[in-house]
Amino acid sequence: MTGREFGRFFLPGPTEVHPDVLASMLQPMIPHRGPQMVDLLEGADAPLRQLFCTERPVLVGTCAGTGFMEMAVRSGVRQRALCLVGGAFGERFAGIVEATGRDAIRLNVPLGKTVEPDMLEDALKRSEVDAVTAVHSETSTGSLASVAELATVVQQFDDVLLLVDGVTSVGGSPVRTDEWGLDFVFTGSQKALALPPGLALGVASDRMVERAKRTPERGAYLDVVAYHEAASKYQPTNTPGISTLYALREQLKRIAATGGIEARWARHEAMRQTVENWVAGRGGDLGFSYLPSEGRRSWTISCLQVPEGRNGREIAKDLAGVGWTIGSGYGGLKEQTIRIGHMGDHTVTQVTELLQVMESILQ
Ligand SMILES: *Cc1c(COP(=O)(O)O)cnc(C)c1O
């Protein structure tokens, strides 16, 4: 065990996990085909639907988030997808489309920007695709796409599915699966849900499940049809990582006890605003500025351009030296930016303290 103080680990995933959640994993194994497992999954059902704002069953897999990204593609893309790419995770989605033998047409925007509804409409008019892949909160750039508006555009086109990576949005900012009409949306446990890594959660529309049934080469282990059938009986598909399910049960209890999903969104919005206020004041004076523009900033990750003559990686290293962890920039943005992952169980107080520490090391 490390003696690290809770609430100082602002990596943009994995994020800080509450000690009660960690402790919950130290329970004995149970049979994965018995009544205790059914109880566990049935107990998670209603709170998970609230998390995704859906009436549909939430699929629970014990794999990395990328597993459900692959599920989205194998079950949801027939031949060709339009892939919205504004950073590393958008590119990963496109890469999986190609790796599974489908065609990806990329709609690229510069790092920090998001695809806007008019751009999407133009692209869909120009290209014959059967699905669109999108990342809601692009963790590599800290930008937040307007998924609700993008969904409205996609719905104007016949038989085109919208597949959404909600890994750093679900649980941290509004994701209204049913209201927005998302065909598939998924998350991973180690981001805004503040769980240990190893769980993927997702929701599939009827259209998605029906299309998957007519796609024989959709694979086996990450088959959305099998997941959907299992979920409707509160069963796992295969032997799940049982310990991570204990953690999920504990964290869902904690979320309910702290005001539910709306309170969670509000806390994340307040953390984003705390960083925005800092950049408008002291942080801006020091030379920090946002990569994404106003209104398109993630509620869970703030990606800031560092002052002239400074280096994002070194700022992260200096902070680590005094016991605080943030992310440096991602890929090509490594030196130019820093990323503060204020998600999961972090609070405004902790973010404020982090920013003060950052000021002091930059003096
Ligand atoms: C972290 C992340 C992923 C990948 O999650 P893994 O669990 O590492 O597979 C995908 N998309 C986004 C937006 C992420 O932040």
Side-chain angles (χ1 to χ4, degrees):
M1 299 287 269
T2 67
R4 188 175 82 207
E5 201 174 318
F6 181 80
R8 295 186 168 194
F9 189 70
F10 288 86
L11 214 60
T15 193
E16 196 83 276
V17 178
H18 193 274
D20 290 352
V21 176
L22 289 175
S24 73
M25 295 176 80
L26 302 174
Q27 297 177 67
M29 292 303 112
I30 54 174
H32 71 288
R33 296 281 174 225
Q36 289 161 294
M37 179 55 72
V38 173
D39 281 354
L40 211 174
L41 291 174
E42 191 172 1
D45 182 55
L48 282 177
R49 289 181 201 227
Q50 284 161 17
L51 211 58
F52 281 89
C53 303
T54 186
E55 305 272 298
R56 299 186 58 77
V58 176
L59 316 181
V60 180
T62 51
C63 56
T66 304
F68 272 22
M69 191 185 270
E70 182 156 340
M71 174 191 284
V73 170
R74 287 190 182 278
S75 291
V77 183
R78 271 199 301 249
Q79 281 189 323
R80 191 176 307 116
L82 178 69
C83 301
L84 315 190
V85 180
F89 293 103
E91 180 52 38
R92 181 178 298 187
F93 225 155
I96 291 177
V97 169
E98 291 169 336
T100 54
R102 283 109 166 136
D103 298 329
I105 299 180
R106 286 172 178 73
L107 178 52
N108 289 293
V109 287
L111 298 176
K113 299 283 182 239
T114 50
V115 170
E116 297 303 319
D118 55 336
M119 300 161 66
L120 175 60
E121 189 174 347
D122 281 352
L124 281 173
K125 279 179 183 157
R126 279 186 278 109
S127 35
E128 188 83 2
V129 298
D130 55 72
V132 173
T133 70
V135 178
H136 192 187
S137 162
E138 175 51 79
T139 311
S140 62
T141 65
S143 62
L144 187 73
S146 178
V147 168
E149 289 177 286
L150 298 179
T152 306
V153 171
V154 173
Q155 283 147 22
Q156 293 162 19
F157 293 81
D158 194 36
D159 206 25
V160 179
L161 300 191
L162 177 58
L163 314 171
V164 178
D165 172 339
V167 177
T168 48
S169 61
V170 174
S173 62
V175 176
R176 302 185 187 278
T177 304
D178 292 358
E179 190 185 315
W180 296 352
L182 309 181
D183 290 295
F184 193 69
V185 55
F186 65 93
T187 188
S189 51
Q190 76 276 25
K191 307 281 172 86
L193 297 178
L195 282 160
L199 263 173
L201 304 162
V203 179
S205 70
D206 250 334
R207 306 206 285 172
M208 169 87 172
V209 176
E210 287 313 309
R211 174 180 287 188
K213 283 180 186 165
R214 288 180 274 110
T215 308
E217 65 286 5
R218 65 184 181 272
Y221 184 64
L222 293 170
D223 171 15
V224 87
V225 179
Y227 264 89
H228 207 262
E229 276 168 16
S232 52
K233 293 178 277 180
Y234 311 119
Q235 292 273 355
T237 48
N238 298 90
T239 319
I242 295 172
S243 312
T244 60
L245 297 178
Y246 293 145
L248 174 67
R249 174 165 62 189
E250 182 65 24
Q251 184 66 331
L252 291 172
K253 223 190 296 170
R254 293 186 67 254
I255 292 172
T258 50
I261 186 64
E262 307 254 344
R264 201 172 178 80
W265 294 341
R267 177 166 50 80
H268 282 84
E269 184 171 30
M271 288 193 285
R272 189 204 78 221
Q273 283 165 346
T274 301
V275 180
E276 286 184 328
N277 291 340
W278 184 74
V279 171
R282 282 291 297 145
D285 294 342
L286 287 168
F288 286 95
S289 59
Y290 268 92
L291 183 66
S293 38
E294 203 176 345
R296 288 288 183 267
R297 292 172 187 159
S298 170
W299 296 19
T300 58
I301 301 115
S302 291
C303 182
L304 306 181
Q305 290 166 312
V306 301
E308 285 267 323
R310 296 280 184 172
N311 178 315
R313 207 161 22 157
E314 270 156 29
I315 294 173
K317 208 166 19 150
D318 290 348
L319 277 171
V322 292
W324 294 77
T325 303
I326 60 165
S328 55
Y330 197 104
L333 297 169
K334 201 164 212 51
E335 322 247 291
Q336 267 167 270
T337 63
I338 53 167
R339 291 175 307 146
I340 304 171
H342 38 74
M343 62 175 96
D345 286 343
H346 285 296
T347 61
V348 165
T349 310
Q350 290 162 3
V351 173
T352 306
E353 214 186 318
L354 168 69
L355 296 172
Q356 282 163 357
V357 175
M358 223 153 74
E359 279 174 32
S360 68
I361 66 161
L362 283 164
Q363 296 300 340

